[in-house]
């Protein structure tokens, strides 16, 4: 759908659709090579947390040398990046707005967190229409992820009055709108509120 919109506007694009759950570093490295070879001037991430984390990694490597796992070392300098547009199709991970990404180190058999303020999305487009197709089970699981992220922050020793206010509102939104989204996947008001809460 997005490819068709871009083509209609005369914009060329290169599709990279090898994303897997718990994205392995090799796919991020491969995607970045394709991105550079095609001369891409931005990266558009469409999907859930794995798609967005993969795209974050690819976009980081547009501006930084080496492999994505090099940046698991907090001491490794990272050049600022731009041009990442995230379009979530689930309401759960919050990856479209976070400063982190989780990439799998297959050789060591671990999930490797990368904190990358420089690698955050430049834009996040929240369209509830794109979440309508989620089955009730996936809606529930990703919605509980939203709640757990807010609860985790709320109970953190680093919590502040400001973060408490945000977390309280997010938890209220999930309690109000997640049951509605699970009961009726076409309830766009519930879907919109869950996207915002995520």
């Amino acid at each position: 759908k997005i490819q068709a919109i871009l083509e209609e506007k005369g914009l060329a694009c290169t599709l990279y659709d090898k994303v897997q759950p718990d994205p392995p570093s090799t796919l991020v490295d491969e995607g970045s090579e394709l991105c550079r070879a095609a001369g891409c001037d931005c990266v558009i991430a469409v999907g859930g947390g794995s798609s967005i984390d993969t795209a974050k990694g690819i976009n980081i490597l547009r501006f930084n040398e080496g492999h994505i796992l090099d940046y698991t070392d907090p001491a490794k300098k990272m050049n600022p990046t731009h041009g990442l547009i995230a379009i979530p199709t689930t309401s759960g991970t919050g990856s479209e707005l976070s400063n982190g990404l989780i990439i799998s180190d297959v050789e060591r058999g671990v999930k490797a967190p990368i904190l990358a303020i420089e690698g955050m999305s430049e834009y996040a487009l929240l369209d509830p229409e794109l979440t309508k197709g989620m089955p009730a089970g996936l809606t529930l699981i990703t919605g509980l992820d939203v709640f757990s992220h807010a609860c985790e922050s709320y109970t953190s020793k680093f919590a502040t009055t400001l973060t408490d206010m945000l977390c309280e509102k997010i938890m209220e939104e999930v309690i109000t709108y997640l049951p509605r989204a699970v009961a009726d996947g076409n309830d766009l008001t519930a879907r919109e509120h869950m996207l915002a809460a995520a």
Side-chain angles (χ1 to χ4, degrees):
K1 185 176 182 180
I2 290 169
Q3 281 181 287
I5 292 167
L6 292 172
E7 287 167 10
E8 185 182 301
K9 300 295 181 184
L11 300 170
C13 65
T14 301
L15 176 66
Y16 186 67
D17 60 359
K18 296 185 178 180
V19 175
Q20 299 173 13
D22 303 320
S25 62
T26 51
L27 290 185
V28 174
D29 291 344
E30 178 187 301
S32 69
E33 289 170 16
L34 175 67
C35 190
R36 282 193 293 268
C40 298
D41 58 6
C42 72
V43 174
I44 302 172
V46 182
S50 294
S51 296
I52 295 171
D53 282 2
T54 299
K56 278 184 185 177
I58 290 170
N59 200 53
I60 286 168
L61 294 180
R62 281 199 315 129
F63 298 93
N64 295 275
E65 295 180 357
H67 303 282
I68 194 60
L69 290 178
D70 298 341
Y71 297 93
T72 58
D73 178 0
K76 174 83 171 165
K77 183 178 177 348
M78 185 184 297
N79 295 321
T81 67
H82 60 82
L84 177 62
I85 301 166
I87 306 173
T89 59
T90 65
S91 304
T93 67
S95 184
E96 62 273 12
L97 215 58
S98 78
N99 65 346
L101 57 155
I102 307 289
I103 301 298
S104 293
D105 182 338
V106 178
E107 283 186 19
R108 291 185 6 210
V110 297
K111 289 184 178 184
I114 301 171
L115 290 179
I117 290 173
E118 297 85 352
M120 292 175 68
S121 302
E122 195 166 5
Y123 296 97
L125 305 178
L126 307 180
D127 182 351
E129 288 281 346
L130 297 176
T131 63
K132 278 191 345 184
M134 277 199 300
L138 184 60
T139 300
L140 177 61
I141 290 167
T142 56
L144 291 175
D145 200 18
V146 176
F147 189 89
S148 66
H149 285 155
C151 186
E152 179 182 39
S153 297
Y154 190 68
T155 58
S156 167
K157 65 181 182 179
F158 299 112
T160 66
T161 302
L162 179 60
T163 61
D164 281 354
M165 288 194 299
L166 292 170
C167 293
E168 287 169 6
K169 181 60 176 172
I170 290 167
M171 290 186 286
E172 284 176 18
E173 291 282 289
V174 173
I175 289 167
T176 301
Y177 291 103
L178 180 56
R180 284 178 51 177
V182 171
D184 178 6
N186 293 316
D187 183 338
L188 287 180
T189 300
R191 292 292 195 188
E192 181 180 7
H193 280 265
M194 287 305 300
L195 273 172

